[in-house]
Amino acid sequence: MIGRIFPLQKGFSLIRVVVVLALLGVVALYFLPHIGGDTLSILNQISGKIKVIVNTLVSRISGLWGSLSGKLEGYTTKMSRTIEELADKWNLKKISQLVSGVEEEWQSDMEKLIAVSRARGFDMSHVERQFDEYQAKEVSWRRVENSYWEDIRKQTQDKITASIERFRTRSLGCSDFAVELKTIWDIEQQFNQDTLEGYIDASESADRLLQPRSVAFLEEFLEWLAVAKVYPPSGSWTNDWFMQRLRQAIPSATESTIPDYPNIIKQIDSQVNRTPHPIYRILGDVTIAEIYLNYDLVNPAEDRFDEAIRQLSEIVGRYQSTYNLSSLGLHMALGLLHERVCKNADLAMKEFKDVVAIARRLGLRCEDYSIVHYHLGIINLHLREGKEVRPTFEEASSAYSGSTQELLAPTPTPTPLPPTPTPKPDPIEISIKIPRALETASPSGTRPERPGPGSGTPPAIRTPVPQPVATPVIVPTPVPTSEIQIVPQPGRTPYPGLVKGTIPPGERRPERDIRLRPRPELGPSLKMKRFSIGDLYDLSRIPDDAIREFELYLKCHSQGERAEIARFIHGKYHGK
């Protein structure tokens, strides 16, 4: 009778409407004593509470499903192991191979993967627990390996995100950004290789992005003090007293312990306070500031930088009307300090422009001072004022479509080739030869000897005196590279040569003997969205001043990372 009075209309009936209203009424009666306000706020509160209930139900259901799938997988694994053992016992080789597949090779590879990843700094505790469960016949090999690649990707992703965020927000330690930009480009390519080696390289690149490159900066700073003839010049700064203290104090990628940097800082202060010479104090403050930067101690680092700038500014003030290499080197050193502190770009630009004016007054070749134009171009870009950038990761299909058997095939051992010399990266473009007439000579007429590695005192230096205008003789000389060589640390890891650059000729890295790619049947992997300079800086707003400085730099230098950066920005400027 009711059905005749209220016929069905396109899929819903009065009964359905009544049921829905009843449910809404129950929900309203349940939440009514706990809410208050106008109609809109009441609806919002009800909606929020419903979302909480739904999310809780979804979470519990997913947890229950995960638990059930884990138990089911354990039963399946135990059953397959039992069948395999029975097949081996009854000499049924075909059935045994069908059930076991390639698990023996897999177990050997998995042990090597875990050991190498742990030695490279990845946390393998979760994977090791699952591997123990696999050996106890509780989980399958597929779950262990899937967890391994998920952990590797997640840890690398977290490190990349933290490194880029730290690079964007670092309040001290600014420089020309060439190395940092190149590193950011490399990270995307390395991560998207979807291999163990790619994740290792991306993780190491992310670590390098966090490092303030203090050794490279101090070396460049020392070079310009040598050009100014206020610090003994040297063919290599490896044995320099301040450089040795800095290397001892900053953390190393090959060491697991933190150096006793507070004690090293006390040694530097004690040594420089024994002499009234301001150059000692300036170098001491700069070295200590760089040590603080490596431990993210921003305030004490800034205090040291400010004191070094104050003292160096007083020395530069004596050369305001003097045009020689001494004034050129001092202005350049002061500009580098202002750029390093990142507080006032105008002060750095003023010093760099003074360097250009002095160099042109002296008639120097552009190759001898064009690096100043590069610094001016980078400062005019205002990179630190760009938008906040965070790398984006998204799921993508596996980059490898081969079969499991192909993945597990042994890697052929290549014929060892004779070692070839590694080309050195482009050195810092400081190629000014100090005129012999302006060099500091010892009483015997020879250059003062520099202290050895065990020396406890910095080298002797003379008081700078403003020099009259002289016609310099410019001879280009090579300058040592600023790269830090990685020294092998014996006994640090269970596998020799795990740090790049420490493999003896003819030997192989342990990663070469194991499978480096995830299996295609493990599902999609993470891909990092392409990250370029356009993400760090709005390329549609490149200033004309920056392009002019880059053009002046490119007229004298066409190779190296800095030239690549300058040429890229120059092309974007003319193509916008």
Side-chain angles (χ1 to χ4, degrees):
M1 186 68 179
I2 297 177
R4 294 177 183 177
I5 298 175
F6 301 100
L8 295 176
Q9 296 182 3
K10 296 183 180 180
F12 77 93
S13 64
L14 179 61
I15 296 177
R16 296 179 183 177
V17 175
V18 172
V19 171
V20 172
L21 291 176
L23 290 175
L24 292 176
V26 171
V27 171
L29 291 175
Y30 176 78
F31 290 115
L32 195 60
H34 308 285
I35 59 179
D38 54 13
T39 304
L40 183 59
S41 63
I42 290 175
L43 292 176
N44 289 334
Q45 293 179 54
I46 293 177
S47 175
K49 291 182 178 294
I50 292 176
K51 288 181 181 179
V52 172
I53 294 175
V54 172
N55 292 334
T56 303
L57 290 175
V58 171
S59 176
R60 290 182 179 178
I61 292 173
S62 62
L64 180 61
W65 174 253
S67 176
L68 292 176
S69 63
K71 291 181 180 179
L72 180 62
E73 184 180 15
Y75 294 143
T76 305
T77 303
K78 289 182 180 179
M79 186 180 299
S80 63
R81 295 285 183 87
T82 303
I83 296 174
E84 179 185 351
E85 292 173 358
L86 292 175
D88 289 338
K89 181 179 180 181
W90 295 337
N91 294 323
L92 301 177
K93 295 183 179 180
K94 291 185 178 181
I95 297 179
S96 176
Q97 292 175 357
L98 181 65
V99 175
S100 62
V102 287
E103 288 197 29
E104 291 183 1
E105 294 88 345
W106 174 85
Q107 182 167 344
S108 175
D109 276 353
M110 199 70 233
E111 290 174 347
K112 293 178 182 177
L113 281 170
I114 292 175
V116 170
S117 302
R118 189 194 312 111
R120 291 289 189 163
F122 291 99
D123 182 9
M124 291 285 101
S125 57
H126 175 65
V127 178
E128 288 173 339
R129 286 195 300 269
Q130 290 214 331
F131 191 76
D132 293 339
E133 294 177 359
Y134 160 79
Q135 293 180 323
K137 304 180 181 181
E138 296 178 359
V139 298
S140 67
W141 64 266
R142 190 188 303 271
R143 170 166 295 218
V144 177
E145 184 166 346
N146 192 40
S147 296
Y148 168 80
W149 289 110
E150 285 182 354
D151 280 6
I152 290 291
R153 291 167 182 149
K154 184 64 168 58
Q155 293 180 40
T156 308
Q157 173 187 345
D158 292 343
K159 183 173 288 188
I160 292 172
T161 303
S163 296
I164 293 179
E165 180 68 17
R166 184 72 186 88
F167 163 72
R168 292 290 296 123
T169 59
R170 181 179 289 153
S171 57
L172 287 178
C174 300
S175 55
D176 60 21
F177 286 106
V179 178
E180 287 87 345
L181 291 175
K182 182 66 167 57
T183 301
I184 291 175
W185 294 349
D186 292 340
I187 285 175
E188 180 263 341
Q189 298 177 357
Q190 294 163 350
F191 185 87
N192 288 348
Q193 291 177 14
D194 198 21
T195 63
L196 172 60
E197 192 169 16
Y199 292 127
I200 290 174
D201 291 342
S203 179
E204 292 177 352
S205 296
D207 286 335
R208 287 197 301 273
L209 190 63
L210 283 177
Q211 298 171 2
R213 295 191 295 117
S214 299
V215 173
F217 172 77
L218 182 58
E219 184 170 316
E220 186 174 10
F221 187 72
L222 289 172
E223 286 290 346
W224 285 104
L225 291 182
V227 169
K229 306 179 299 301
V230 296
Y231 197 72
S234 172
S236 173
W237 296 107
T238 303
N239 294 326
D240 180 79
W241 189 86
F242 292 101
M243 189 69 75
Q244 287 182 340
R245 304 289 88 75
L246 178 63
R247 289 181 183 273
Q248 292 173 5
I250 61 178
S252 172
T254 58
E255 290 287 346
S256 59
T257 58
I258 298 178
D260 185 12
Y261 69 93
N263 185 42
I264 297 175
I265 290 176
K266 291 180 180 179
Q267 293 178 13
I268 298 173
D269 277 333
S270 174
Q271 198 63 250
V272 299
N273 288 333
R274 296 177 183 176
T275 174
H277 203 292
I279 295 298
Y280 272 132
R281 291 195 173 92
I282 292 171
L283 282 174
D285 287 330
V286 171
T287 305
I288 293 173
E290 293 296 334
I291 294 174
Y292 282 137
L293 276 184
N294 283 269
Y295 295 95
D296 285 334
L297 301 174
V298 177
N299 291 334
E302 187 173 5
D303 293 341
R304 292 285 184 164
F305 275 131
D306 289 343
E307 181 61 22
I309 289 174
R310 184 190 66 79
Q311 296 184 67
L312 188 56
S313 298
E314 292 180 357
I315 298 177
V316 172
R318 308 172 193 171
Y319 291 80
Q320 291 298 333
S321 58
T322 306
Y323 297 93
N324 55 26
L325 292 180
S326 294
S327 59
L328 182 145
L330 289 173
H331 279 288
M332 185 67 188
L334 183 56
L336 290 175
L337 280 183
H338 281 302
E339 184 184 42
R340 191 71 171 160
V341 174
C342 333
K343 293 172 63 175
N344 195 331
D346 293 337
L347 294 177
M349 293 179 66
K350 173 188 175 298
E351 300 300 330
F352 290 147
K353 289 180 179 179
D354 286 342
V355 173
V356 174
I358 295 171
R360 291 177 177 173
R361 183 74 174 262
L362 295 176
L364 303 182
R365 299 183 310 167
C366 68
E367 291 87 349
D368 298 322
Y369 66 92
S370 61
I371 185 63
V372 185
H373 291 298
Y374 181 84
H375 281 279
L376 286 170
I378 291 294
I379 292 178
N380 278 312
L381 280 178
H382 305 292
L383 288 175
R384 295 185 62 82
E385 300 175 9
K387 54 188 176 181
E388 293 294 329
V389 176
R390 289 175 177 83
T392 303
F393 298 84
E394 55 190 4
E395 285 193 351
S397 59
S398 177
Y400 186 76
S401 59
S403 64
T404 300
Q405 286 75 15
E406 293 173 346
L407 284 171
L408 289 175
T411 306
T413 304
T415 304
L417 299 175
T420 57
T422 303
K424 294 183 178 180
D426 290 340
I428 303 171
E429 294 85 347
I430 308 173
S431 56
I432 301 177
K433 179 68 175 178
I434 301 175
R436 185 173 300 276
L438 299 179
E439 285 185 351
T440 303
S442 63
S444 60
T446 60
R447 176 182 295 176
E449 292 293 331
R450 300 189 62 76
S455 176
T457 59
I461 53 181
R462 69 178 179 84
T463 303
V465 178
Q467 300 292 334
V469 178
T471 303
V473 179
I474 308 301
V475 180
T477 57
V479 179
T481 178
S482 60
E483 292 295 326
I484 305 174
Q485 303 241 341
I486 300 178
V487 180
Q489 300 290 332
R492 295 295 307 161
T493 60
Y495 290 94
L498 284 177
V499 179
K500 283 189 175 181
T502 64
I503 308 298
E507 293 190 13
R508 291 157 51 85
R509 293 172 63 182
E511 295 95 317
R512 303 299 186 190
D513 299 322
I514 56 178
R515 177 182 39 76
L516 297 178
R517 293 181 181 272
R519 304 169 194 274
E521 59 264 34
L522 293 179
S525 60
L526 275 180
K527 294 292 183 183
M528 182 176 174
K529 183 181 176 182
R530 183 157 184 82
F531 202 81
S532 66
I533 190 175
D535 296 317
L536 287 174
Y537 178 74
D538 186 359
L539 294 174
S540 64
R541 301 175 56 188
I542 300 176
D544 297 338
D545 293 340
I547 293 302
R548 182 179 63 254
E549 299 296 342
F550 285 133
E551 287 176 345
L552 292 171
Y553 174 75
L554 290 173
K555 286 181 180 179
C556 304
H557 291 278
S558 59
Q559 296 180 351
E561 287 183 337
R562 286 165 171 162
E564 292 177 5
I565 296 289
R567 195 176 297 109
F568 175 83
I569 298 174
H570 186 270
K572 290 293 182 181
Y573 173 83
H574 289 286
K576 66 182 180 181

Short mmCIF file of all heavy atoms in Angstrom, two decimals, residues 309-348:
data_model
loop_
_atom_site.label_atom_id
_atom_site.label_comp_id
_atom_site.label_asym_id
_atom_site.label_seq_id
_atom_site.Cartn_x
_atom_site.Cartn_y
_atom_site.Cartn_z
N ILE A 309 86.10 42.99 9.47
CA ILE A 309 85.79 44.07 8.52
C ILE A 309 86.22 45.42 9.07
O ILE A 309 86.76 46.27 8.35
CB ILE A 309 84.28 44.05 8.20
CG1 ILE A 309 83.93 42.83 7.33
CG2 ILE A 309 83.85 45.34 7.51
CD1 ILE A 309 82.45 42.66 7.08
N ARG A 310 86.01 45.64 10.37
CA ARG A 310 86.40 46.92 10.98
C ARG A 310 87.91 47.14 10.87
O ARG A 310 88.38 48.23 10.48
CB ARG A 310 85.96 46.95 12.45
CG ARG A 310 86.23 48.27 13.14
CD ARG A 310 86.00 48.17 14.63
NE ARG A 310 86.96 47.28 15.26
CZ ARG A 310 88.21 47.62 15.56
NH1 ARG A 310 88.66 48.84 15.27
NH2 ARG A 310 89.02 46.76 16.14
N GLN A 311 88.69 46.11 11.21
CA GLN A 311 90.14 46.25 11.18
C GLN A 311 90.66 46.39 9.75
O GLN A 311 91.56 47.19 9.47
CB GLN A 311 90.79 45.04 11.85
CG GLN A 311 90.47 44.91 13.33
CD GLN A 311 91.21 43.75 13.97
OE1 GLN A 311 92.43 43.78 14.08
NE2 GLN A 311 90.46 42.73 14.39
N LEU A 312 90.10 45.60 8.81
CA LEU A 312 90.56 45.70 7.43
C LEU A 312 90.16 47.03 6.82
O LEU A 312 90.89 47.58 5.99
CB LEU A 312 89.99 44.53 6.62
CG LEU A 312 90.53 44.38 5.19
CD1 LEU A 312 92.04 44.27 5.18
CD2 LEU A 312 89.91 43.17 4.51
N SER A 313 89.01 47.56 7.19
CA SER A 313 88.59 48.87 6.67
C SER A 313 89.56 49.97 7.09
O SER A 313 89.83 50.91 6.33
CB SER A 313 87.18 49.20 7.16
OG SER A 313 86.24 48.26 6.69
N GLU A 314 90.10 49.87 8.31
CA GLU A 314 91.08 50.85 8.76
C GLU A 314 92.35 50.79 7.90
O GLU A 314 92.94 51.83 7.57
CB GLU A 314 91.42 50.60 10.23
CG GLU A 314 90.27 50.89 11.18
CD GLU A 314 90.65 50.62 12.63
OE1 GLU A 314 91.81 50.15 12.86
OE2 GLU A 314 89.83 50.86 13.53
N ILE A 315 92.77 49.59 7.54
CA ILE A 315 93.97 49.47 6.69
C ILE A 315 93.68 49.98 5.29
O ILE A 315 94.50 50.70 4.69
CB ILE A 315 94.43 48.00 6.65
CG1 ILE A 315 94.80 47.52 8.05
CG2 ILE A 315 95.60 47.82 5.69
CD1 ILE A 315 95.19 46.06 8.12
N VAL A 316 92.51 49.65 4.74
CA VAL A 316 92.15 50.10 3.40
C VAL A 316 92.07 51.62 3.35
O VAL A 316 92.38 52.24 2.32
CB VAL A 316 90.83 49.46 2.96
CG1 VAL A 316 90.33 50.07 1.66
CG2 VAL A 316 90.99 47.95 2.80
N GLY A 317 91.68 52.24 4.45
CA GLY A 317 91.58 53.69 4.48
C GLY A 317 92.89 54.39 4.22
O GLY A 317 92.91 55.55 3.77
N ARG A 318 94.00 53.72 4.45
CA ARG A 318 95.30 54.34 4.20
C ARG A 318 95.65 54.34 2.71
O ARG A 318 96.63 54.97 2.31
CB ARG A 318 96.39 53.59 4.96
CG ARG A 318 96.12 53.40 6.45
CD ARG A 318 97.16 52.48 7.07
NE ARG A 318 96.75 52.04 8.41
CZ ARG A 318 97.39 51.10 9.09
NH1 ARG A 318 98.46 50.53 8.56
NH2 ARG A 318 96.96 50.73 10.28
N TYR A 319 94.88 53.63 1.91
CA TYR A 319 95.20 53.50 0.49
C TYR A 319 94.16 54.20 -0.40
O TYR A 319 94.04 53.88 -1.56
CB TYR A 319 95.24 52.01 0.10
CG TYR A 319 96.40 51.25 0.69
CD1 TYR A 319 96.35 50.80 2.00
CD2 TYR A 319 97.53 51.00 -0.05
CE1 TYR A 319 97.41 50.10 2.55
CE2 TYR A 319 98.61 50.29 0.48
CZ TYR A 319 98.53 49.84 1.79
OH TYR A 319 99.59 49.16 2.32
N GLN A 320 93.42 55.13 0.14
CA GLN A 320 92.34 55.74 -0.63
C GLN A 320 92.85 56.45 -1.88
O GLN A 320 92.20 56.44 -2.92
CB GLN A 320 91.57 56.73 0.26
CG GLN A 320 90.77 56.06 1.37
CD GLN A 320 89.69 55.14 0.85
OE1 GLN A 320 89.20 55.32 -0.26
NE2 GLN A 320 89.32 54.13 1.62
N SER A 321 93.99 57.08 -1.81
CA SER A 321 94.51 57.83 -2.96
C SER A 321 95.70 57.14 -3.60
O SER A 321 96.48 57.78 -4.30
CB SER A 321 94.90 59.24 -2.51
OG SER A 321 95.88 59.18 -1.48
N THR A 322 95.86 55.84 -3.35
CA THR A 322 97.00 55.11 -3.87
C THR A 322 96.53 54.09 -4.90
O THR A 322 95.55 53.39 -4.68
CB THR A 322 97.74 54.38 -2.74
OG1 THR A 322 98.06 55.31 -1.72
CG2 THR A 322 99.00 53.71 -3.26
N TYR A 323 97.22 54.02 -6.03
CA TYR A 323 96.86 53.08 -7.09
C TYR A 323 98.02 52.13 -7.32
O TYR A 323 98.96 52.43 -8.06
CB TYR A 323 96.52 53.83 -8.38
CG TYR A 323 95.31 54.72 -8.25
CD1 TYR A 323 95.46 56.07 -7.92
CD2 TYR A 323 94.04 54.21 -8.44
CE1 TYR A 323 94.35 56.89 -7.79
CE2 TYR A 323 92.92 55.03 -8.31
CZ TYR A 323 93.08 56.35 -7.98
OH TYR A 323 91.98 57.17 -7.84
N ASN A 324 98.01 51.00 -6.65
CA ASN A 324 98.99 49.96 -6.85
C ASN A 324 98.37 48.61 -6.47
O ASN A 324 97.20 48.53 -6.10
CB ASN A 324 100.27 50.23 -6.04
CG ASN A 324 99.98 50.43 -4.57
OD1 ASN A 324 98.99 49.93 -4.05
ND2 ASN A 324 100.85 51.16 -3.90
N LEU A 325 99.16 47.56 -6.57
CA LEU A 325 98.64 46.23 -6.28
C LEU A 325 98.26 46.06 -4.81
O LEU A 325 97.39 45.25 -4.48
CB LEU A 325 99.66 45.17 -6.69
CG LEU A 325 99.91 45.02 -8.19
CD1 LEU A 325 100.94 43.96 -8.46
CD2 LEU A 325 98.61 44.70 -8.91
N SER A 326 98.91 46.79 -3.92
CA SER A 326 98.55 46.69 -2.51
C SER A 326 97.12 47.16 -2.28
O SER A 326 96.32 46.49 -1.61
CB SER A 326 99.53 47.51 -1.66
OG SER A 326 100.82 46.96 -1.71
N SER A 327 96.78 48.33 -2.82
CA SER A 327 95.42 48.84 -2.65
C SER A 327 94.42 47.94 -3.37
O SER A 327 93.31 47.70 -2.88
CB SER A 327 95.32 50.28 -3.15
OG SER A 327 95.68 50.35 -4.52
N LEU A 328 94.80 47.42 -4.55
CA LEU A 328 93.89 46.55 -5.28
C LEU A 328 93.57 45.29 -4.48
O LEU A 328 92.40 44.90 -4.33
CB LEU A 328 94.51 46.18 -6.63
CG LEU A 328 93.68 45.30 -7.58
CD1 LEU A 328 93.93 45.70 -9.02
CD2 LEU A 328 94.02 43.83 -7.41
N GLY A 329 94.59 44.63 -3.94
CA GLY A 329 94.37 43.40 -3.18
C GLY A 329 93.57 43.63 -1.92
O GLY A 329 92.71 42.81 -1.55
N LEU A 330 93.82 44.74 -1.23
CA LEU A 330 93.10 45.03 0.01
C LEU A 330 91.63 45.34 -0.25
O LEU A 330 90.74 44.89 0.49
CB LEU A 330 93.78 46.19 0.74
CG LEU A 330 95.14 45.87 1.36
CD1 LEU A 330 95.78 47.13 1.90
CD2 LEU A 330 94.99 44.84 2.48
N HIS A 331 91.35 46.13 -1.30
CA HIS A 331 89.95 46.42 -1.63
C HIS A 331 89.21 45.13 -2.00
O HIS A 331 88.04 44.94 -1.63
CB HIS A 331 89.88 47.42 -2.78
CG HIS A 331 90.06 48.84 -2.36
ND1 HIS A 331 89.09 49.54 -1.66
CD2 HIS A 331 91.09 49.71 -2.53
CE1 HIS A 331 89.52 50.77 -1.42
NE2 HIS A 331 90.73 50.91 -1.94
N MET A 332 89.87 44.25 -2.74
CA MET A 332 89.23 43.00 -3.13
C MET A 332 88.96 42.12 -1.90
O MET A 332 87.88 41.53 -1.77
CB MET A 332 90.12 42.24 -4.13
CG MET A 332 89.48 40.98 -4.68
SD MET A 332 88.05 41.38 -5.72
CE MET A 332 87.40 39.74 -6.00
N ALA A 333 89.92 42.04 -0.99
CA ALA A 333 89.73 41.24 0.22
C ALA A 333 88.58 41.79 1.06
O ALA A 333 87.76 41.03 1.59
CB ALA A 333 91.02 41.22 1.04
N LEU A 334 88.49 43.11 1.17
CA LEU A 334 87.39 43.71 1.94
C LEU A 334 86.05 43.46 1.26
O LEU A 334 85.04 43.19 1.94
CB LEU A 334 87.64 45.21 2.11
CG LEU A 334 86.63 45.97 2.97
CD1 LEU A 334 86.52 45.36 4.36
CD2 LEU A 334 87.01 47.45 3.07
N GLY A 335 86.02 43.54 -0.07
CA GLY A 335 84.78 43.24 -0.78
C GLY A 335 84.33 41.81 -0.58
O GLY A 335 83.13 41.53 -0.41
N LEU A 336 85.28 40.87 -0.56
CA LEU A 336 84.93 39.47 -0.32
C LEU A 336 84.34 39.27 1.08
O LEU A 336 83.40 38.48 1.26
CB LEU A 336 86.17 38.59 -0.49
CG LEU A 336 86.70 38.43 -1.91
CD1 LEU A 336 88.01 37.63 -1.90
CD2 LEU A 336 85.68 37.73 -2.80
N LEU A 337 84.88 39.99 2.07
CA LEU A 337 84.32 39.89 3.42
C LEU A 337 82.90 40.42 3.47
O LEU A 337 82.01 39.81 4.09
CB LEU A 337 85.21 40.64 4.41
CG LEU A 337 86.47 39.94 4.88
CD1 LEU A 337 87.19 40.80 5.92
CD2 LEU A 337 86.15 38.57 5.47
N HIS A 338 82.65 41.58 2.85
CA HIS A 338 81.29 42.13 2.84
C HIS A 338 80.33 41.17 2.13
O HIS A 338 79.19 40.98 2.58
CB HIS A 338 81.28 43.49 2.14
CG HIS A 338 81.76 44.61 3.00
ND1 HIS A 338 81.17 44.92 4.21
CD2 HIS A 338 82.76 45.52 2.83
CE1 HIS A 338 81.79 45.96 4.74
NE2 HIS A 338 82.76 46.35 3.93
N GLU A 339 80.78 40.58 1.03
CA GLU A 339 79.92 39.63 0.32
C GLU A 339 79.66 38.39 1.16
O GLU A 339 78.56 37.84 1.15
CB GLU A 339 80.58 39.24 -1.00
CG GLU A 339 79.74 38.33 -1.87
CD GLU A 339 80.47 37.87 -3.10
OE1 GLU A 339 81.67 37.53 -3.00
OE2 GLU A 339 79.87 37.85 -4.18
N ARG A 340 80.65 37.96 1.91
CA ARG A 340 80.51 36.76 2.74
C ARG A 340 79.50 36.97 3.86
O ARG A 340 78.78 36.05 4.24
CB ARG A 340 81.88 36.43 3.34
CG ARG A 340 81.97 35.07 4.01
CD ARG A 340 81.92 33.96 3.03
NE ARG A 340 82.22 32.66 3.65
CZ ARG A 340 81.88 31.51 3.11
NH1 ARG A 340 81.24 31.47 1.96
NH2 ARG A 340 82.17 30.37 3.72
N VAL A 341 79.46 38.17 4.39
CA VAL A 341 78.56 38.45 5.52
C VAL A 341 77.11 38.60 5.06
O VAL A 341 76.18 38.36 5.83
CB VAL A 341 79.04 39.71 6.27
CG1 VAL A 341 78.07 40.12 7.36
CG2 VAL A 341 80.40 39.45 6.87
N CYS A 342 76.88 39.01 3.82
CA CYS A 342 75.54 39.11 3.21
C CYS A 342 74.66 40.19 3.82
O CYS A 342 73.45 40.17 3.62
CB CYS A 342 74.75 37.80 3.31
SG CYS A 342 75.65 36.27 3.41
N LYS A 343 75.19 41.09 4.61
CA LYS A 343 74.34 42.09 5.27
C LYS A 343 74.10 43.31 4.40
O LYS A 343 73.01 43.87 4.39
CB LYS A 343 74.97 42.51 6.60
CG LYS A 343 75.00 41.42 7.64
CD LYS A 343 75.80 41.81 8.86
CE LYS A 343 75.21 43.00 9.58
NZ LYS A 343 75.94 43.31 10.82
N ASN A 344 75.12 43.75 3.68
CA ASN A 344 74.99 44.98 2.90
C ASN A 344 75.72 44.79 1.58
O ASN A 344 76.95 44.91 1.50
CB ASN A 344 75.57 46.18 3.67
CG ASN A 344 75.14 47.49 3.06
OD1 ASN A 344 74.90 47.58 1.86
ND2 ASN A 344 75.04 48.52 3.89
N ALA A 345 74.95 44.47 0.53
CA ALA A 345 75.56 44.24 -0.79
C ALA A 345 76.18 45.50 -1.36
O ALA A 345 77.14 45.43 -2.13
CB ALA A 345 74.50 43.69 -1.75
N ASP A 346 75.66 46.68 -0.97
CA ASP A 346 76.21 47.94 -1.50
C ASP A 346 77.67 48.13 -1.09
O ASP A 346 78.47 48.66 -1.87
CB ASP A 346 75.36 49.11 -1.02
CG ASP A 346 73.97 49.09 -1.63
OD1 ASP A 346 73.81 48.47 -2.69
OD2 ASP A 346 73.06 49.69 -1.05
N LEU A 347 78.01 47.71 0.13
CA LEU A 347 79.39 47.85 0.59
C LEU A 347 80.33 46.95 -0.21
O LEU A 347 81.44 47.34 -0.56
CB LEU A 347 79.49 47.53 2.09
CG LEU A 347 78.76 48.49 3.03
CD1 LEU A 347 78.88 48.01 4.47
CD2 LEU A 347 79.33 49.90 2.90
N ALA A 348 79.87 45.74 -0.49
CA ALA A 348 80.68 44.82 -1.30
C ALA A 348 80.86 45.37 -2.71
O ALA A 348 81.96 45.34 -3.27
CB ALA A 348 80.04 43.44 -1.34
#
